[in-house]
Amino acid sequence: MVEKNNVSVVIVSYNTGPILPRSIESVLTQAGLCELILVNNGNPPRVIRKLEKLAKEDSRLKLISGYGNIGFAAGCNLGARQAEGKYLLLLNPDCIIPSGALAKVRDELQNHNEAWLAGCRIINPDGSEQSGSRRNILTPMVAFVETFRLYRFFPNLKLFERMNFHEMEKMKMSSIVPAISGAFMMIKKERYESLSGIDEGYFFHVEDLDFCYQVNRLGGRILYVPQISAVHFRSTSDVSSFFVEWNKARGFTRYFRKNFKGQYFPGFLTLISAGIYLRLVTRIIWLALEKLLTGQLFIGRNDAARLQELKSRLLENYASFAADRAEISASEIKNREPYLLIGATGQVGIAILRRLLALDAEVIALYHSSLVDFSHPNLIWVQGDLESDLVNLAALNPKTLIYTPALWLLPPHIKKFASLGINRIITFSSTSIFGKASSRNTYEQKLVSRLVAAEKDIADLCAPLGIKWTIFRPTMIYGIGLDRNVSSIVRFIDKLGFFPIAGPGAGLRQPVNCDDLALAVLSTVALPASFGKSYNLGGGERISYRAMVEKIFTVIGKKRRIISTTLLPLLLDIYSVIFSKQDINGEMATRMNIDLAFDDSDARRDFAYNPRRFLTAGKKDLGILEG
C-alpha cells in the first residue's frame, strides 16, 4: 500500500519570473504531496516577499535561501538533503503540472520495479511535445549524427538514431526509454542518495543527461509516463543567451570526458571538445551579430524576465489612472462589461487593462503563453488562443471585445464572438496601410494586403451580425518600453552608444503613447459616432526621425552620437537575408526620410482625441521606472 503523501517536490529558482507562482500553485494542489522545497538561487526582493508570504500560509512550502546562485545541480542536491518524503520530484520552476500528476507518476514508478527514475510527457504551451521529453542516451556518435543531420540520409538505421524522440509515434502507456527531460524527474530518495545526487560539476544544462546516463550505467531503467503532460515554458529565467551557451559548452565537454574517456581512439575526445568550443564561438558570434543589428546586444532571456517584472509593476499602478480623465463616463464603461481583452500582455493591452481596472470594469484577459504576475478581483486571466479557447469563454458572458494582436487573425472568428454575445468590437490595425503601401519589399507588401483585407472583412462580417465595430490605426507606438520601435532604439543606444540613420533622417514621425490609445478605446466604447468607422491615431507632436532619435538620447542621458550613412538600407537588406528576418529590411531605413504622419482630425472631432507630445513623461515613457 503506497503511503498517501510521500512525495517531496524540489524546485530550484533563479529569477524565474511570473510563471513561478503558477508552478508553485500547481504543486500545492497535488494529491500525494508531502512538501514543496523551493531553493532560492536568486530572485528579486519583490518575489522573495511573495514566496515568504506563501510559506507562512502553507507550511508545506519550505524556502531555502542564503546560499547564492549555486547552480541547478547543487540546488537540487541541497533541497533533496532536506526532503522528508519517500520520493523526490525534481521540477523546473517554469513547469506547470496537471492535477493528479504526482500520484500517477509515483504509482507508475512503484509498479515498475526495474525503473529507478520516472518522467512524464513534457509539452510546450501550445500542446506540442517538447524535443527533450523522451530521448536517447547522448553518446559521441549520437552527437555526430545530430550535428551533421545524418538521420536524414539513413532514417531506418539504428546507428543513425536521433537524440530526441518527440517526432516518433506518440506513446499511450508507460514505457521504458533511455532518457527523459530534467524538467520533471521523480525518483525514490534513497535511490537518489545512492547515486550521490546530481553531479554538481554541472552548473546548469546537461546535468539531466548525465543523471540519466548514470542510472542506465548502474543497471537502472527510466520510465516515461505519457498519461501525464506537464507544460514547460522554457527560457523564463533571468540568464543571458551567452551565459547559457557557455554553460552548455562546459557541460557537454564535461559529460563526454567523464563518461567516454578511454572508449575511443587517443585524441578523439579532444577533437570533440574542440568541436564543442568551436560551435560555442560560432554561436556567440552569430548571436552577437543578430542582437547588434536589432539593437539588442547582450539582451536576451534576462530581458524577458525584466519585461515581465515591468508589466507587473505597470499593472499594479492601475489605481493612479482612476481620476485623471473626468470626461470618460465610468457608468458607460460599466454598462459594456465584461470586456474580453485579447492581447492583454502586450503594450497596448496592458495600457487598456489598467485603464479598465481603474474604472472598476470587469475584464477577461486572454493571453497566449506569458502570464503577468498580477491579480485583481475584477480580472480573469485565460490562457489560450483564438482557435482553441473561445468555447471556454461562453460562461463568462463577454459583451465587448477589445482586440490588439495581428488584425488578420480576427475575421475568421467574428461569428464565434457573436455567438458568445459580443456586440461591440474595437480593434487595432496600423497606418502601415499607408506608410508601406509603396514598399518594394515582398514581406511588407503582404503585410499591407493582409491589413487591408482584414479591415474590409471586419466591416463586412460585423454588419449582418449586428456588431458595432471601430478600427484604430496607430502610428509608431511607445509608452511603457514594450514596443519594437522606440524601445529598440533605446536599447541600441544604451548598449552601443550610437545610432545609425539613413541620410538626414528628415521624414516626419508622430509617435503615439499607448496610454492615449487606451483612452481612445474608453472614449469610444459606447460612442455611436465611432461605430463603423476607422481612425488614424498619431501622437501630439510631429517630429523628424533624426530629432526623435536625438530626443531619446537626451532623455536617457546619453551623449548624442548619430551616424548618418546611405549604406544603411543595403546593410539591413543583407542582414534580412542572412538572418531570415523579413521584418527588418532596407525599406525601414529608406522610410527614415519619408513623412509618416497622418491626419487624425476625425478622431479629434468625434471623441476629442488629444494625444500628448513625445516623451512628455521622460524615462517613464520608455519603460524606465525608478526603484
PDB file of all heavy atoms in Angstrom, residues 1 75 147 202 278 282 293 312 314 319 362 368 456 496 506 557 613:
ATOM      1  N   MET A   1       0.851  -1.195   0.000  1.00  0.00           N
ATOM      2  CA  MET A   1       0.000   0.000   0.000  1.00  0.00           C
ATOM      3  C   MET A   1       0.887   1.246   0.000  1.00  0.00           C
ATOM      4  O   MET A   1       1.758   1.416   0.844  1.00  0.00           O
ATOM      5  CB  MET A   1      -0.912   0.016   1.234  1.00  0.00           C
ATOM      6  CG  MET A   1      -1.846   1.212   1.286  1.00  0.00           C
ATOM      7  SD  MET A   1      -3.142   1.143   0.041  1.00  0.00           S
ATOM      8  CE  MET A   1      -4.023   2.641   0.387  1.00  0.00           C
ATOM      9  N   GLY A  75      21.659  22.991  -6.333  1.00  0.00           N
ATOM     10  CA  GLY A  75      20.396  23.373  -5.721  1.00  0.00           C
ATOM     11  C   GLY A  75      19.478  22.178  -5.511  1.00  0.00           C
ATOM     12  O   GLY A  75      18.824  22.057  -4.483  1.00  0.00           O
ATOM     13  N   THR A 147      24.645  16.601 -35.236  1.00  0.00           N
ATOM     14  CA  THR A 147      25.365  17.768 -35.746  1.00  0.00           C
ATOM     15  C   THR A 147      25.314  17.837 -37.265  1.00  0.00           C
ATOM     16  O   THR A 147      25.075  18.904 -37.852  1.00  0.00           O
ATOM     17  CB  THR A 147      26.827  17.741 -35.275  1.00  0.00           C
ATOM     18  OG1 THR A 147      26.861  17.766 -33.852  1.00  0.00           O
ATOM     19  CG2 THR A 147      27.589  18.946 -35.819  1.00  0.00           C
ATOM     20  N   TYR A 202      28.288  20.225 -12.925  1.00  0.00           N
ATOM     21  CA  TYR A 202      27.490  20.950 -13.920  1.00  0.00           C
ATOM     22  C   TYR A 202      26.802  22.105 -13.215  1.00  0.00           C
ATOM     23  O   TYR A 202      26.189  21.924 -12.165  1.00  0.00           O
ATOM     24  CB  TYR A 202      26.422  20.041 -14.521  1.00  0.00           C
ATOM     25  CG  TYR A 202      26.953  18.814 -15.233  1.00  0.00           C
ATOM     26  CD1 TYR A 202      27.056  17.592 -14.572  1.00  0.00           C
ATOM     27  CD2 TYR A 202      27.347  18.876 -16.561  1.00  0.00           C
ATOM     28  CE1 TYR A 202      27.520  16.463 -15.220  1.00  0.00           C
ATOM     29  CE2 TYR A 202      27.827  17.751 -17.223  1.00  0.00           C
ATOM     30  CZ  TYR A 202      27.915  16.550 -16.547  1.00  0.00           C
ATOM     31  OH  TYR A 202      28.378  15.433 -17.194  1.00  0.00           O
ATOM     32  N   LEU A 278      34.300  25.270 -30.701  1.00  0.00           N
ATOM     33  CA  LEU A 278      34.189  25.949 -31.990  1.00  0.00           C
ATOM     34  C   LEU A 278      32.733  26.336 -32.247  1.00  0.00           C
ATOM     35  O   LEU A 278      32.442  27.441 -32.713  1.00  0.00           O
ATOM     36  CB  LEU A 278      34.702  25.039 -33.112  1.00  0.00           C
ATOM     37  CG  LEU A 278      34.599  25.619 -34.541  1.00  0.00           C
ATOM     38  CD1 LEU A 278      35.435  26.893 -34.650  1.00  0.00           C
ATOM     39  CD2 LEU A 278      35.051  24.582 -35.568  1.00  0.00           C
ATOM     40  N   THR A 282      31.227  30.128 -32.663  1.00  0.00           N
ATOM     41  CA  THR A 282      30.366  30.440 -33.806  1.00  0.00           C
ATOM     42  C   THR A 282      28.999  30.922 -33.343  1.00  0.00           C
ATOM     43  O   THR A 282      28.447  31.893 -33.862  1.00  0.00           O
ATOM     44  CB  THR A 282      30.194  29.191 -34.689  1.00  0.00           C
ATOM     45  OG1 THR A 282      31.475  28.723 -35.094  1.00  0.00           O
ATOM     46  CG2 THR A 282      29.371  29.508 -35.925  1.00  0.00           C
ATOM     47  N   LEU A 293      22.555  44.008 -34.652  1.00  0.00           N
ATOM     48  CA  LEU A 293      21.810  44.622 -35.736  1.00  0.00           C
ATOM     49  C   LEU A 293      20.350  44.883 -35.381  1.00  0.00           C
ATOM     50  O   LEU A 293      19.660  45.609 -36.082  1.00  0.00           O
ATOM     51  CB  LEU A 293      21.888  43.736 -36.989  1.00  0.00           C
ATOM     52  CG  LEU A 293      23.291  43.663 -37.618  1.00  0.00           C
ATOM     53  CD1 LEU A 293      23.326  42.637 -38.735  1.00  0.00           C
ATOM     54  CD2 LEU A 293      23.700  45.029 -38.159  1.00  0.00           C
ATOM     55  N   SER A 312       4.270  43.662 -14.529  1.00  0.00           N
ATOM     56  CA  SER A 312       3.618  43.537 -13.225  1.00  0.00           C
ATOM     57  C   SER A 312       3.532  44.884 -12.526  1.00  0.00           C
ATOM     58  O   SER A 312       2.485  45.261 -11.977  1.00  0.00           O
ATOM     59  CB  SER A 312       4.377  42.537 -12.350  1.00  0.00           C
ATOM     60  OG  SER A 312       4.378  41.251 -12.909  1.00  0.00           O
ATOM     61  N   LEU A 314       3.620  47.854 -13.861  1.00  0.00           N
ATOM     62  CA  LEU A 314       2.726  48.762 -14.578  1.00  0.00           C
ATOM     63  C   LEU A 314       1.269  48.496 -14.224  1.00  0.00           C
ATOM     64  O   LEU A 314       0.479  49.432 -14.051  1.00  0.00           O
ATOM     65  CB  LEU A 314       2.939  48.602 -16.088  1.00  0.00           C
ATOM     66  CG  LEU A 314       4.262  49.140 -16.641  1.00  0.00           C
ATOM     67  CD1 LEU A 314       4.482  48.645 -18.061  1.00  0.00           C
ATOM     68  CD2 LEU A 314       4.294  50.663 -16.595  1.00  0.00           C
ATOM     69  N   ALA A 319      -4.408  51.983 -10.197  1.00  0.00           N
ATOM     70  CA  ALA A 319      -5.287  52.899  -9.464  1.00  0.00           C
ATOM     71  C   ALA A 319      -4.968  54.361  -9.742  1.00  0.00           C
ATOM     72  O   ALA A 319      -5.842  55.231  -9.628  1.00  0.00           O
ATOM     73  CB  ALA A 319      -5.197  52.617  -7.966  1.00  0.00           C
ATOM     74  N   GLU A 362     -15.082  44.921 -15.255  1.00  0.00           N
ATOM     75  CA  GLU A 362     -14.736  43.506 -15.244  1.00  0.00           C
ATOM     76  C   GLU A 362     -14.070  43.138 -16.569  1.00  0.00           C
ATOM     77  O   GLU A 362     -14.590  43.456 -17.646  1.00  0.00           O
ATOM     78  CB  GLU A 362     -15.988  42.655 -15.037  1.00  0.00           C
ATOM     79  CG  GLU A 362     -16.642  42.864 -13.681  1.00  0.00           C
ATOM     80  CD  GLU A 362     -17.905  42.035 -13.516  1.00  0.00           C
ATOM     81  OE1 GLU A 362     -18.199  41.228 -14.427  1.00  0.00           O
ATOM     82  OE2 GLU A 362     -18.585  42.201 -12.497  1.00  0.00           O
ATOM     83  N   HIS A 368      -1.506  34.362 -24.513  1.00  0.00           N
ATOM     84  CA  HIS A 368      -1.069  33.147 -25.205  1.00  0.00           C
ATOM     85  C   HIS A 368      -0.232  32.250 -24.318  1.00  0.00           C
ATOM     86  O   HIS A 368      -0.584  31.111 -24.030  1.00  0.00           O
ATOM     87  CB  HIS A 368      -0.296  33.506 -26.473  1.00  0.00           C
ATOM     88  CG  HIS A 368       0.070  32.319 -27.305  1.00  0.00           C
ATOM     89  ND1 HIS A 368       1.349  31.804 -27.348  1.00  0.00           N
ATOM     90  CD2 HIS A 368      -0.676  31.528 -28.097  1.00  0.00           C
ATOM     91  CE1 HIS A 368       1.356  30.745 -28.146  1.00  0.00           C
ATOM     92  NE2 HIS A 368       0.149  30.558 -28.616  1.00  0.00           N
ATOM     93  N   LYS A 456     -11.543  45.243 -44.346  1.00  0.00           N
ATOM     94  CA  LYS A 456     -12.761  45.059 -45.150  1.00  0.00           C
ATOM     95  C   LYS A 456     -13.598  43.894 -44.611  1.00  0.00           C
ATOM     96  O   LYS A 456     -14.829  44.000 -44.494  1.00  0.00           O
ATOM     97  CB  LYS A 456     -12.380  44.799 -46.607  1.00  0.00           C
ATOM     98  CG  LYS A 456     -13.584  44.634 -47.540  1.00  0.00           C
ATOM     99  CD  LYS A 456     -13.145  44.415 -48.969  1.00  0.00           C
ATOM    100  CE  LYS A 456     -14.367  44.358 -49.899  1.00  0.00           C
ATOM    101  NZ  LYS A 456     -15.336  43.311 -49.534  1.00  0.00           N
ATOM    102  N   LEU A 496      25.397  50.442 -27.319  1.00  0.00           N
ATOM    103  CA  LEU A 496      26.462  50.751 -28.273  1.00  0.00           C
ATOM    104  C   LEU A 496      26.873  52.222 -28.285  1.00  0.00           C
ATOM    105  O   LEU A 496      27.916  52.562 -28.835  1.00  0.00           O
ATOM    106  CB  LEU A 496      26.040  50.318 -29.679  1.00  0.00           C
ATOM    107  CG  LEU A 496      25.746  48.821 -29.831  1.00  0.00           C
ATOM    108  CD1 LEU A 496      25.300  48.508 -31.252  1.00  0.00           C
ATOM    109  CD2 LEU A 496      26.965  47.993 -29.471  1.00  0.00           C
ATOM    110  N   ALA A 506      15.101  62.938 -42.332  1.00  0.00           N
ATOM    111  CA  ALA A 506      14.221  64.105 -42.297  1.00  0.00           C
ATOM    112  C   ALA A 506      12.735  63.750 -42.302  1.00  0.00           C
ATOM    113  O   ALA A 506      11.882  64.635 -42.149  1.00  0.00           O
ATOM    114  CB  ALA A 506      14.522  65.003 -43.490  1.00  0.00           C
ATOM    115  N   GLY A 557      19.907  60.255 -21.096  1.00  0.00           N
ATOM    116  CA  GLY A 557      21.150  60.801 -20.558  1.00  0.00           C
ATOM    117  C   GLY A 557      22.406  60.354 -21.268  1.00  0.00           C
ATOM    118  O   GLY A 557      23.469  60.228 -20.652  1.00  0.00           O
ATOM    119  N   ARG A 613       2.461  65.008 -26.292  1.00  0.00           N
ATOM    120  CA  ARG A 613       3.673  65.152 -27.081  1.00  0.00           C
ATOM    121  C   ARG A 613       4.649  64.021 -26.760  1.00  0.00           C
ATOM    122  O   ARG A 613       4.504  63.317 -25.758  1.00  0.00           O
ATOM    123  CB  ARG A 613       4.338  66.517 -26.814  1.00  0.00           C
ATOM    124  CG  ARG A 613       3.481  67.687 -27.292  1.00  0.00           C
ATOM    125  CD  ARG A 613       4.099  69.013 -26.893  1.00  0.00           C
ATOM    126  NE  ARG A 613       5.375  69.236 -27.565  1.00  0.00           N
ATOM    127  CZ  ARG A 613       5.515  69.724 -28.791  1.00  0.00           C
ATOM    128  NH1 ARG A 613       4.436  70.070 -29.486  1.00  0.00           N
ATOM    129  NH2 ARG A 613       6.707  69.913 -29.323  1.00  0.00           N
TER     130      ARG A 613
END
